[in-house]
Coordinates of all heavy atoms in Angstrom, one line a residue:
E1 N 186.9 173.4 -92.0 CA 186.9 172.8 -93.4 C 185.9 173.6 -94.3 O 186.2 173.8 -95.5 CB 186.5 171.4 -93.3 CG 187.6 170.5 -92.6 CD 188.8 170.3 -93.5 OE1 188.7 170.3 -94.7 OE2 189.9 170.1 -92.9
R2 N 184.8 173.9 -93.8 CA 183.8 174.6 -94.6 C 184.3 176.0 -95.0 O 184.2 176.4 -96.1 CB 182.5 174.8 -93.8 CG 181.4 175.7 -94.4 CD 180.7 175.0 -95.6 NE 179.8 175.9 -96.3 CZ 178.7 175.6 -96.9 NH1 178.3 174.3 -96.9 NH2 178.0 176.4 -97.6
M3 N 184.8 176.7 -94.0 CA 185.3 178.1 -94.3 C 186.5 178.0 -95.2 O 186.7 178.8 -96.1 CB 185.8 178.7 -92.9 CG 184.6 178.9 -92.0 SD 183.7 180.4 -92.3 CE 184.7 181.6 -91.6
S4 N 187.4 177.0 -95.1 CA 188.5 176.8 -96.0 C 188.1 176.6 -97.4 O 188.7 177.2 -98.3 CB 189.4 175.6 -95.5 OG 190.0 175.9 -94.3
S5 N 187.1 175.8 -97.6 CA 186.6 175.5 -99.0 C 186.0 176.7 -99.6 O 186.0 176.9 -100.9 CB 185.6 174.4 -98.9 OG 184.4 174.8 -98.3
V6 N 185.4 177.7 -98.8 CA 184.8 178.9 -99.4 C 185.8 180.0 -99.6 O 185.9 180.6 -100.6 CB 183.7 179.4 -98.5 CG1 183.1 180.7 -98.9 CG2 182.5 178.3 -98.4
Y7 N 186.7 180.2 -98.6 CA 187.7 181.3 -98.6 C 189.0 180.9 -99.3 O 189.8 181.8 -99.5 CB 187.9 181.8 -97.2 CG 186.7 182.6 -96.7 CD1 186.1 182.2 -95.5 CD2 186.3 183.8 -97.3 CE1 185.0 182.9 -95.0 CE2 185.2 184.5 -96.8 CZ 184.6 184.1 -95.6 OH 183.5 184.8 -95.1
H8 N 189.1 179.6 -99.6 CA 190.3 179.1 -100.3 C 191.6 179.4 -99.5 O 192.6 179.8 -100.1 CB 190.4 179.6 -101.7 CG 189.2 179.3 -102.5 ND1 188.7 178.0 -102.8 CD2 188.2 180.2 -103.0 CE1 187.6 178.1 -103.4 NE2 187.2 179.4 -103.6
I9 N 191.6 179.3 -98.2 CA 192.8 179.4 -97.4 C 192.8 178.3 -96.4 O 191.8 177.8 -96.0 CB 192.9 180.8 -96.6 CG1 191.6 181.1 -95.9 CG2 193.2 181.9 -97.6 CD1 191.6 182.3 -95.0
N10 N 194.0 177.8 -96.1 CA 194.1 176.7 -95.2 C 194.3 177.0 -93.7 O 193.9 176.3 -92.8 CB 195.3 175.8 -95.6 CG 195.1 175.2 -96.9 OD1 194.0 174.8 -97.2 ND2 196.2 175.1 -97.7
R11 N 194.8 178.2 -93.5 CA 195.0 178.6 -92.1 C 194.2 179.9 -91.8 O 194.3 180.9 -92.6 CB 196.5 178.9 -91.7 CG 197.2 177.6 -91.6 CD 198.7 177.8 -91.2 NE 198.8 178.4 -89.9 CZ 198.7 177.6 -88.8 NH1 198.6 176.3 -88.8 NH2 198.8 178.2 -87.6
F12 N 193.5 180.0 -90.7 CA 192.7 181.2 -90.4 C 193.4 181.9 -89.2 O 193.8 181.3 -88.2 CB 191.3 180.8 -89.9 CG 190.4 180.4 -91.1 CD1 190.4 179.1 -91.5 CD2 189.7 181.3 -91.9 CE1 189.6 178.7 -92.5 CE2 189.0 180.9 -92.9 CZ 188.9 179.6 -93.3
A13 N 193.6 183.2 -89.4 CA 194.3 184.0 -88.3 C 193.5 184.0 -87.0 O 194.0 184.0 -85.9 CB 194.6 185.4 -88.8
E14 N 192.2 184.0 -87.2 CA 191.2 184.1 -86.1 C 191.6 185.3 -85.2 O 191.6 185.1 -83.9 CB 191.1 182.8 -85.3 CG 190.5 181.7 -86.2 CD 190.0 180.5 -85.3 OE1 189.3 180.8 -84.3 OE2 190.2 179.4 -85.7
D15 N 191.9 186.4 -85.7 CA 192.2 187.6 -84.9 C 191.2 188.7 -85.0 O 191.4 189.8 -84.6 CB 193.6 188.2 -85.4 CG 193.6 188.5 -86.9 OD1 192.6 188.3 -87.6 OD2 194.7 188.9 -87.4
G16 N 189.9 188.3 -85.4 CA 188.8 189.3 -85.5 C 187.9 189.2 -84.3 O 188.3 188.8 -83.2
D17 N 186.6 189.5 -84.6 CA 185.7 189.5 -83.5 C 185.3 188.0 -83.1 O 185.4 187.1 -83.9 CB 184.4 190.2 -84.0 CG 184.7 191.7 -84.3 OD1 185.4 192.3 -83.4 OD2 184.2 192.2 -85.3
E18 N 184.8 187.9 -81.9 CA 184.5 186.6 -81.3 C 183.1 186.1 -81.7 O 182.1 186.9 -81.7 CB 184.5 186.7 -79.8 CG 185.9 187.0 -79.2 CD 185.9 187.1 -77.7 OE1 184.8 187.0 -77.1 OE2 187.0 187.2 -77.1
Y19 N 183.1 184.8 -82.0 CA 181.8 184.2 -82.4 C 181.7 182.8 -81.6 O 182.1 181.8 -82.1 CB 181.7 183.9 -83.9 CG 181.6 185.1 -84.7 CD1 182.6 185.9 -85.0 CD2 180.3 185.5 -85.3 CE1 182.5 187.1 -85.8 CE2 180.2 186.6 -86.1 CZ 181.2 187.4 -86.3 OH 181.1 188.5 -87.1
P20 N 181.3 182.9 -80.3 CA 181.3 181.6 -79.5 C 180.2 180.7 -80.0 O 179.0 181.1 -80.3 CB 181.0 182.1 -78.1 CG 180.9 183.6 -78.2 CD 180.9 184.0 -79.6
V21 N 180.5 179.4 -80.2 CA 179.6 178.4 -80.7 C 179.1 177.5 -79.5 O 179.9 177.2 -78.7 CB 180.2 177.6 -81.8 CG1 179.3 176.5 -82.3 CG2 180.8 178.4 -82.9
R22 N 177.8 177.2 -79.5 CA 177.3 176.2 -78.5 C 176.6 175.1 -79.3 O 175.9 175.3 -80.3 CB 176.3 176.9 -77.6 CG 177.1 177.8 -76.6 CD 176.2 178.4 -75.6 NE 177.0 179.1 -74.6 CZ 177.0 179.0 -73.3 NH1 176.1 178.1 -72.7 NH2 177.7 179.6 -72.5
V23 N 176.7 173.9 -78.7 CA 176.1 172.7 -79.3 C 175.3 172.0 -78.3 O 175.7 171.8 -77.2 CB 177.2 171.7 -79.8 CG1 176.6 170.5 -80.5 CG2 178.2 172.4 -80.8
F24 N 174.0 171.7 -78.7 CA 173.1 170.9 -77.9 C 172.7 169.7 -78.6 O 172.3 169.8 -79.8 CB 171.8 171.7 -77.6 CG 172.0 173.1 -77.1 CD1 172.1 174.2 -78.0 CD2 172.0 173.4 -75.8 CE1 172.2 175.5 -77.6 CE2 172.2 174.7 -75.3 CZ 172.3 175.7 -76.2
I25 N 172.8 168.5 -78.0 CA 172.4 167.3 -78.6 C 171.3 166.6 -77.7 O 171.6 166.3 -76.6 CB 173.5 166.3 -78.9 CG1 174.7 167.0 -79.7 CG2 173.0 165.1 -79.7 CD1 175.8 166.1 -80.0
M26 N 170.1 166.5 -78.2 CA 169.0 165.9 -77.5 C 168.3 164.8 -78.3 O 167.9 165.1 -79.4 CB 168.0 167.0 -77.1 CG 166.8 166.6 -76.4 SD 167.2 165.9 -74.8 CE 165.6 166.1 -73.9
K27 N 168.3 163.6 -77.8 CA 167.8 162.5 -78.5 C 168.3 162.4 -79.9 O 167.6 162.2 -80.9 CB 166.3 162.5 -78.5 CG 165.6 162.4 -77.2 CD 164.1 162.4 -77.3 CE 163.4 162.4 -75.9 NZ 162.0 162.6 -76.0
D28 N 169.7 162.6 -80.1 CA 170.4 162.5 -81.3 C 170.1 163.6 -82.3 O 170.6 163.6 -83.5 CB 170.2 161.1 -82.0 CG 170.6 160.0 -81.1 OD1 171.7 160.1 -80.5 OD2 169.8 159.0 -81.1
I29 N 169.4 164.6 -81.9 CA 169.2 165.8 -82.7 C 170.2 166.9 -82.3 O 170.2 167.3 -81.1 CB 167.7 166.4 -82.6 CG1 166.7 165.3 -83.1 CG2 167.6 167.6 -83.5 CD1 166.8 164.9 -84.5
V30 N 171.0 167.3 -83.2 CA 172.1 168.3 -82.9 C 171.6 169.7 -83.3 O 171.1 169.9 -84.4 CB 173.3 168.0 -83.8 CG1 174.4 169.0 -83.4 CG2 173.8 166.5 -83.5
T31 N 171.7 170.6 -82.4 CA 171.3 172.0 -82.6 C 172.6 172.8 -82.4 O 173.3 172.7 -81.3 CB 170.2 172.5 -81.7 OG1 169.1 171.7 -81.8 CG2 169.8 173.9 -82.0

């Protein structure tokens, strides 16, 4: 949603380089 609002496109091809995301939640603090 964030990327769509900036790049003004609804569908992303996602055919470029890899950007793996990791999420840690500790005592309700999200990193």
Side-chain angles (χ1 to χ4, degrees):
E1 291 289 332
R2 171 78 188 209
M3 298 278 280
S4 293
S5 69
V6 172
Y7 288 117
H8 308 296
I9 50 175
N10 293 322
R11 288 183 65 83
F12 288 91
E14 294 199 44
D15 54 3
D17 295 318
E18 296 182 352
Y19 291 79
V21 180
R22 288 185 173 233
V23 181
F24 311 89
I25 308 180
M26 177 66 157
K27 295 183 184 173
D28 300 318
I29 300 297
V30 180
T31 306

